Amino acid sequence: MALHRLTSITIGVPDVADVARFYSEFGLREIAPHRFATVDGGEQLTIEPAPTRRLTTLGVGVDDPDDIARIEASLRAIDAPVRSTGDSLHTVESVTGVKVDVTVAPRIAPARTPDPLYNGPGRAVRENLRAPVVLRAEPVRPHKLGHVVIGSVDKEASQRFFTAGLGFKISDNLGDRAAFMRCSSDHHNVLVQKAPVNFLHHTAWEVADVDEIGRGATAMLEGHPDRHAWGLGRHHVGSNFFWYLKDPAGNFSEYYSDLDCVVDDALWTPEDFQGARSLYSWGPRPPKSFVTPEDIAAAMTGAHRPA
């Protein structure tokens, strides 16, 4: 695949300083005012002022200028606006207004994390030794930006932009409600869901394992129980462990680990999921405020109010 990762995102929020403090505590490293880096992905989050919370820019990495040229041709074929400078390309998803920057960027080459030593029935791989994971004391640090989820008032048009225009692959579907799309070997990097208003639902950040999810969320909730959104659980679509927290602007932010990996398109068959499996395999039931965030419900009411 010419596409190989999400490089970065920019989110707009009314109170930049408050949201920046949240992501600093979440484990991202602030390398400049309101600009944050992950362990393996480098600078991957910028927070900027906006009247309401939203995803403003999405970055996608490709291998070489030939990839830029191919994507430019595909975007022009679907009448998407495009501006190319050789090693970068700039376009806009017209429904949601999200700007997309496609750039020649290095692939992420993370150092392998040690396999956790988990004992099980008939499998004592850790004998006479306390589990190393319970001795971890360092702060949890996300390794990379994994995916973003956005709502679109024209899901099919937004999906076409990402697939026919940019070259994302569909991993799985939730009927006509949502599409899980990838620009890397990760199961999904962008999910577009049908919505009555355009909005950013959540961003997702990879950590080493489920213990790091639990440690990170526990630290974030200490003194801030209102940050809890949903978790701990495991998704069925994508298979990953998850825990969602809510930033001060109302965006959900997910710690995740153990996501499905698609390295050969020919060996992966997209499926269509409905019901509970479209949301999770196990864990607490998702609250209504996660499925439809409260500020989005208010916006929907305003959008449908008679003139």
Side-chain angles (χ1 to χ4, degrees):
M1 179 183 283
L3 312 178
H4 60 77
R5 67 176 172 113
L6 295 185
T7 54
S8 63
I9 55 171
T10 300
I11 59 175
V13 298
D15 189 338
V16 172
D18 206 19
V19 173
R21 281 191 293 272
F22 173 93
Y23 286 98
S24 181
E25 293 178 32
F26 188 78
L28 303 182
R29 181 169 59 90
E30 191 164 15
I31 58 176
H34 313 144
R35 293 165 53 191
F36 295 86
T38 58
V39 172
D40 298 320
E43 183 177 342
Q44 295 204 281
L45 173 64
T46 299
I47 303 169
E48 65 180 15
T52 57
R53 65 181 185 89
R54 62 186 301 266
L55 177 67
T56 62
T57 307
L58 178 73
V60 179
V62 298
D63 286 322
D64 56 56
D66 288 343
D67 300 323
I68 298 287
R70 283 191 293 271
I71 293 171
E72 180 178 5
S74 297
L75 287 166
R76 293 193 186 282
I78 62 169
D79 297 321
V82 60
R83 177 171 57 88
S84 175
T85 60
D87 60 355
S88 65
L89 178 152
H90 310 281
T91 183
V92 178
E93 200 287 290
S94 60
V95 178
T96 61
V98 174
K99 295 179 288 187
V100 177
D101 296 330
V102 181
T103 57
V104 174
R107 291 181 177 246
I108 292 178
R112 177 170 176 170
T113 56
D115 294 332
L117 300 177
Y118 292 133
N119 287 340
R123 179 175 50 84
V125 297
R126 190 186 72 249
E127 297 179 338
N128 308 314
L129 178 69
R130 196 179 306 279
V133 295
V134 304
L135 303 177
R136 294 175 185 170
E138 68 281 1
V140 170
R141 301 292 184 192
H143 284 252
K144 70 175 183 181
L145 167 67
H147 58 268
V148 298
V149 173
I150 57 175
S152 170
V153 298
D154 189 340
K155 177 256 183 186
E156 295 303 324
S158 296
Q159 178 179 324
R160 183 167 178 258
F161 170 85
F162 282 102
T163 55
L166 295 177
F168 280 56
K169 305 289 187 181
I170 293 180
S171 297
D172 286 306
N173 289 292
L174 306 182
D176 64 353
R177 295 181 294 117
F180 292 79
M181 299 174 289
R182 66 184 186 276
C183 64
S184 72
S185 59
D186 288 347
H187 175 272
H188 57 283
N189 301 106
V190 171
L191 183 147
V192 175
Q193 64 183 48
K194 185 182 295 186
V197 295
N198 299 319
F199 74 103
L200 169 62
H201 186 274
H202 76 264
T203 62
W205 307 85
E206 184 180 41
V207 295
D209 52 44
V210 67
D211 286 281
E212 292 296 88
I213 293 176
R215 290 203 316 116
T218 298
M220 288 293 288
L221 295 175
E222 186 173 350
H224 300 277
D226 55 308
R227 290 175 171 174
H228 175 72
W230 183 31
L232 172 73
R234 187 189 269 274
H235 287 302
H236 186 88
V237 186
S239 303
N240 53 293
F241 295 106
F242 66 82
W243 198 321
Y244 294 89
L245 303 159
K246 186 167 68 172
D247 75 19
N251 303 300
F252 298 119
S253 190
E254 176 189 9
Y255 287 122
Y256 79 90
S257 69
D258 194 26
L259 184 72
D260 287 337
C261 184
V262 182
V263 296
D264 188 335
D265 293 339
L267 298 180
W268 182 269
T269 302
E271 295 185 54
D272 188 1
F273 294 94
Q274 302 291 336
R277 282 193 169 186
S278 68
L279 286 169
Y280 66 128
S281 178
W282 58 259
R285 291 177 61 87
K288 291 182 180 179
S289 60
F290 177 83
V291 178
T292 305
E294 293 168 356
D295 59 334
I296 301 305
M300 289 164 53
T301 303
H304 291 90
R305 184 177 300 147

